[in-house]
Amino acid sequence: TPMVPSPTPIEHPPHLASWYASKKPPAPDSPWLKNNPIPTRVVLGQEINGARVVTLNRPRQLNGINDRVVYLLAQLLEKWEQDDDAKLVIFKGAGRAFSAGGDLKMFYEGRSSDDSCLEVVYRMYWLCYHIHTYKKTTVALVNGLVMGGGAAMVAPLKFAVVTEKTVFATPEASVGLHTDCSFSYIHSRLPGYLGEYLALTGARLNAKEMIAAGLATHFVHSEKLEDLEKQLLNLNTGDESAVRAVIEEFSTDVQLDQESILNKLSTIDKCFSAETVEEILKALDSEVSVDGNQWIAPVLKSMRRSSPTGLKITLRSVREGRKQSLQECLKKEFGLTMNILRSVITGDVYEGIRALSIDKDNAPKWSPATVEEVKNEDIDRVFEPFTSGHELQVPSDDSNRWSGKHEHTVYAKSSQ
């Protein structure tokens, strides 16, 4: 019997609920539809046997994460975790990307409104905690680009399947942001100082490198991915050994390419273990002329084009992450992101997004312009913790696991 996916009923955000309640879908060839396109379901939820499938569905935007995506994702994951019939949850993306991460244009458009992006930032970091600690077996099928917040739906999962088309990066520092969405926790736990390297350079890893670094678990050729998904949907169990056995039927053991950056870990550790961004740049400068270190020149170029403030915030955050719990990392990251978006010490984030995504001139004018000009006391201000009522409310134990939602915080009350 062919399986027919049944869409999960979704409660829409308040600002869209009335639209969905009042509208009946017009005929596909309706003239009205051409002028009034129906909002796309940006997250699709399917229930098939014991499997639950969540599909990020903004392919034209490379499945960028916005307020609606986060709201609907959290709703589905909470529902499924509490559903005894749900055994296995599969994450995937529509189109040629899994997810390129946070929607930068959303941040840019909110630059002149006080805390216009606070809700989506809060909900995303709160959701990151629940993805890391999810109670059902999870599988990510990653066939394409996966960056930043998108990778926060991959690296923490029990199984992360990547293909020859997968490309990973955390490039936030380059636009004046910081390595967020739990990556100050994830990167600080990678081998040696690889996390600092990835966070400060925005360097890309391929699928083989993701597996070697511990950011993914299995390599499957893209033409086999659909068959793997069908097998998982037929499994009707969340038993980890059973899920692993199915994935391993399709997976291939892979070896790093000879020129892989992961074969340069000794040099990475030597340079990126330095205490400050200035010292890291100095160490790279001293290594660039050594035989076999041709890879360093583009790394230096990339770092010197990045926001000096973003680099300093990012390094400190990853370093602190080495000694912090997941909850502590997420609370810190929430405060950092809000202080950056509030331009507490610089408006670099908006200048970085402008240069990359709006005007696309790739010529940002940073303030301050060099890492030497960034004052330590300014970085201290960005890291000042929020008061207990204003910090991210992540649960301390499983007894109130899904508490702390944005709508129950001081932020929601103050906006009413």
Side-chain angles (χ1 to χ4, degrees), residues 63-133:
N63 298 321
I65 299 165
N66 64 8
D67 52 348
R68 290 170 66 204
V69 170
V70 175
Y71 184 96
L72 297 174
L73 262 176
Q75 206 169 60
L76 286 172
L77 293 180
E78 180 178 6
K79 175 181 184 289
W80 291 341
E81 187 176 280
Q82 296 168 354
D83 179 0
D84 290 340
D85 293 331
K87 314 292 185 189
L88 173 70
V89 177
I90 298 170
F91 292 71
K92 63 180 189 174
R96 60 193 176 93
F98 179 87
S99 171
D103 188 334
L104 294 180
K105 289 183 179 178
M106 170 187 68
F107 292 131
Y108 190 79
E109 287 164 1
R111 68 194 181 283
S112 55
S113 308
D114 285 349
D115 286 352
S116 65
C117 292
L118 187 147
E119 181 175 344
V120 65
V121 171
Y122 185 101
R123 288 189 186 278
M124 183 62 196
Y125 294 178
W126 183 86
L127 179 62
C128 284
Y129 171 80
H130 291 87
I131 291 172
H132 271 268
T133 59

Side-chain angles (χ1 to χ4, degrees), residues 171-216:
E172 295 79 15
S174 66
V175 294
L177 272 163
H178 65 105
T179 305
D180 67 335
C181 292
S182 77
F183 268 93
S184 71
Y185 179 82
I186 295 168
H187 275 346
S188 59
R189 283 155 179 79
L190 295 182
Y193 291 86
L194 178 63
E196 279 88 341
Y197 164 78
L198 293 172
L200 293 172
T201 66
R204 296 185 167 204
L205 297 183
N206 63 30
K208 298 173 184 178
E209 292 167 329
M210 287 181 72
I211 291 169
L215 293 164

